[in-house]
């Protein structure tokens, strides 16, 4: 019998644990002849009674498992731990606050049965979103998609199903500064999307502050792309060429052709152009150094060079 793991990162969600568990148990019930289940709660160093609440569940239901962090490590790491720990032939990741509608889980499973290896929940716009948040996320995806190699669907969420092959490949990543979603997208595989409307948070408040979101956005740019690193170099090349041309033009105009226009530049202005030119050279050099750093960065991440779906001689069906 195949099995399905549910992975739930939870930080200060004490009131949401039981309702979520009941919902999941209800939607998975029709599948119980077909798939065994495992519900993994990763308690990400909650300060409230989340851990206690989960422990209570593990006592009544042996399919509930608790991964208890010693402190708060953040959702990305909590999700990663769930992926390391799970044993199912597929896993479904969802938020603990019931914003990801558990009643869609059967749809995810159906897509998986059709042969998709990654099923991604995509959030429809909701009225409660502030304009700034909408604008911010639009800008985020615009920039991200223009500087990375794989395409990321705007508004795709962490609400996802992953096949075992994807989980195993994911678990080979060793980098610690990570955005789970981005890494899953990097892996490729056959993807399918499910659109959903996010519910309101059941209890508590969202712990992603503006500052945390900015940090996550920066982290995703940096971990998925080397373009930010090369920016200084591009800027340097532009400044060097631009000020070089102007300086050269003034010089030959003044000393060789005696252009009146060239002699209107004062010494201070000429010096300014020269300094800008030097700044351009310095930035270009920084850009060169960053090319080497980019190589070191790539080596240190130690990403797999390629990702294989299946060997022709692999024993698993
Ligand atoms: N979460 C976590 N660790 C954290 C912050 C959040 O495990 O440090 C969990 C949280 O319990 C929830 C999910 O990540 O299940 C999404 O968090 P939240 O609802 O605060 O963010 P948003 O809905 O704004 O994405
Ligand atoms: Mg939430």
């Amino acid at each position: 019998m195949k099995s399905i793991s549910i992975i739930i990162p939870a930080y200060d969600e004490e009131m949401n644990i039981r309702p979520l568990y009941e919902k999941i148990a209800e939607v998975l019930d029709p599948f119980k002849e077909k798939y065994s289940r495992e519900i993994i709660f990763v308690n990400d160093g909650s300060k409230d009674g989340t851990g206690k609440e989960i422990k209570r569940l593990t006592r009544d239901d042996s399919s509930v498992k608790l991964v208890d962090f010693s402190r708060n490590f953040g959702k990305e790491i909590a999700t990663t731990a769930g992926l390391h720990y799970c044993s199912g032939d597929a896993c479904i990741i969802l938020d603990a606050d019931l914003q990801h509608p558990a009643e869609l889980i059967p749809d995810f499973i159906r897509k998986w049965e059709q042969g998709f290896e990654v099923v991604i929940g995509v959030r429809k716009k909701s009225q409660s979103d502030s304009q700034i948040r909408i604008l911010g996320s639009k800008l985020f995806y615009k920039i991200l998609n223009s500087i990375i190699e794989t395409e990321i669907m705007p508004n795709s969420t962490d609400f996802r199903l992953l096949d075992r092959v994807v989980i195993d490949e994911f678990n080979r990543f060793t980098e610690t500064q990570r955005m789970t979603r981005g890494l899953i997208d990097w892996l490729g595989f056959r993807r399918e999307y499910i659109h959903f409307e996010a519910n309101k948070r059941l209890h508590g408040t969202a712990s992603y502050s503006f500052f945390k979101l900015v940090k996550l956005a920066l982290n995703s740019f940096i971990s998925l792309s080397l373009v930010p690193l090369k920016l200084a170099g591009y800027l340097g090349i532009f400044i060097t060429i631009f000020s070089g041309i102007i300086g050269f033009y003034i010089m030959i105009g003044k000393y060789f052709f005696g252009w009146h226009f060239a002699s209107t530049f004062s010494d201070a202005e000429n010096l300014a152009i020269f300094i800008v030119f030097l700044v351009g050279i310095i930035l270009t050099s920084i850009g060169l150094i960053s090319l080497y750093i980019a190589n070191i960065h790539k080596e240190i991440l130690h990403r797999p060079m390629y990702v294989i779906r299946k060997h022709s001689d692999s024993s698993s069906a």
Side-chain angles (χ1 to χ4, degrees):
M1 188 152 96
K2 286 198 167 190
S3 65
I4 290 180
S5 306
I6 309 281
I7 298 173
I8 304 150
Y11 174 63
D12 286 357
E13 305 278 8
E14 117 182 89
M15 310 276 281
N16 297 326
I17 299 295
R18 184 159 284 273
L20 178 65
Y21 164 77
E22 274 160 10
K23 195 85 189 245
I24 291 173
E26 181 193 322
V27 295
L28 283 182
D29 195 53
F31 291 93
K32 68 173 181 250
E33 310 284 303
K34 215 164 162 191
Y35 302 115
S36 62
R37 75 174 193 210
E38 167 187 62
I39 304 174
I40 301 172
F41 286 94
V42 183
N43 178 21
D44 184 11
S46 302
K47 291 191 281 301
D48 64 359
T50 302
K52 234 186 253 154
E53 208 44 55
I54 301 168
K55 246 179 232 145
R56 208 167 291 149
L57 289 178
T58 58
R59 251 173 263 138
D60 306 338
D61 182 341
S62 61
S63 70
V64 176
K65 293 177 181 155
L66 167 63
V67 176
D68 204 7
F69 277 3
S70 58
R71 65 167 170 89
N72 180 252
F73 283 93
K75 180 187 180 184
E76 307 300 317
I77 308 296
T79 313
T80 301
L83 286 166
H84 284 164
Y85 189 76
C86 79
S87 61
D89 295 290
C91 76
I92 298 168
I93 306 164
L94 79 167
D95 279 2
D97 55 6
L98 287 104
Q99 284 195 294
H100 297 160
E103 55 275 16
L104 288 179
I105 288 177
D107 294 347
F108 279 76
I109 296 176
R110 241 167 267 134
K111 297 274 186 201
W112 175 54
E113 288 169 339
Q114 285 166 18
F116 291 104
E117 290 148 329
V118 180
V119 187
I120 303 172
V122 180
R123 201 164 161 260
K124 285 186 205 153
K125 255 193 240 133
S126 82
Q127 257 90 38
S128 61
D129 283 351
S130 70
Q131 284 298 322
I132 291 194
R133 217 187 149 123
I134 294 173
L135 198 76
S137 90
K138 250 198 192 141
L139 195 70
F140 171 74
Y141 285 109
K142 257 254 143 63
I143 299 175
L144 194 64
N145 271 326
S146 62
I147 62 176
I148 63 171
E149 347 173 332
T150 48
E151 178 106 10
I152 292 185
M153 177 81 141
N155 299 323
S156 55
T157 62
D158 290 315
F159 188 17
R160 302 175 169 216
L161 178 146
L162 309 182
D163 184 84
R164 175 45 55 185
V165 276
V166 185
I167 303 171
D168 286 341
E169 289 301 329
F170 182 90
N171 289 343
R172 289 170 59 197
F173 286 122
T174 53
E175 59 208 78
T176 52
Q177 301 296 315
R178 53 171 64 197
M179 184 174 94
T180 315
R181 257 180 284 159
L183 289 181
I184 295 171
D185 289 335
W186 185 90
L187 284 173
F189 289 104
R190 278 189 287 268
R191 301 186 222 170
E192 177 64 330
Y193 300 92
I194 289 180
H195 294 264
F196 73 97
E197 204 144 333
N199 300 323
K200 277 235 163 61
R201 202 169 220 294
L202 190 64
H203 292 285
T205 52
S207 50
Y208 268 96
S209 60
F210 178 73
F211 180 69
K212 256 191 174 173
L213 277 178
V214 171
K215 201 173 134 197
L216 186 67
L218 278 181
N219 240 340
S220 13
F221 291 151
I222 291 170
S223 69
L224 291 171
S225 162
L226 294 169
V227 173
L229 189 59
K230 295 175 183 163
L231 272 184
Y234 292 135
L235 191 67
I237 291 171
F238 172 76
I239 292 178
T240 310
I241 292 176
F242 192 66
S243 59
I245 288 175
I246 294 178
F248 185 69
Y249 198 65
I250 292 173
M251 234 167 26
I252 58 164
K254 197 164 168 181
Y255 297 112
F256 291 97
F257 299 109
W259 289 337
H260 170 68
F261 131 86
S263 54
T264 57
F265 283 85
S266 69
D267 286 347
E269 282 164 345
N270 284 333
L271 187 65
I273 293 170
F274 186 59
I275 289 174
V276 170
F277 178 72
L278 288 184
V279 168
I281 287 182
I282 292 171
L283 281 178
T284 310
S285 312
I286 292 177
L288 271 182
I289 294 173
S290 68
L291 288 183
Y292 289 87
I293 295 180
N295 276 348
I296 297 171
H297 176 82
K298 269 192 220 155
E299 293 297 333
I300 286 182
L301 283 187
H302 212 78
R303 292 248 174 102
M305 275 188 285
Y306 49 80
V307 178
I308 295 176
R309 177 173 290 126
K310 207 191 240 174
H311 302 278
S312 61
D313 58 359
S314 64
S315 50
S316 61

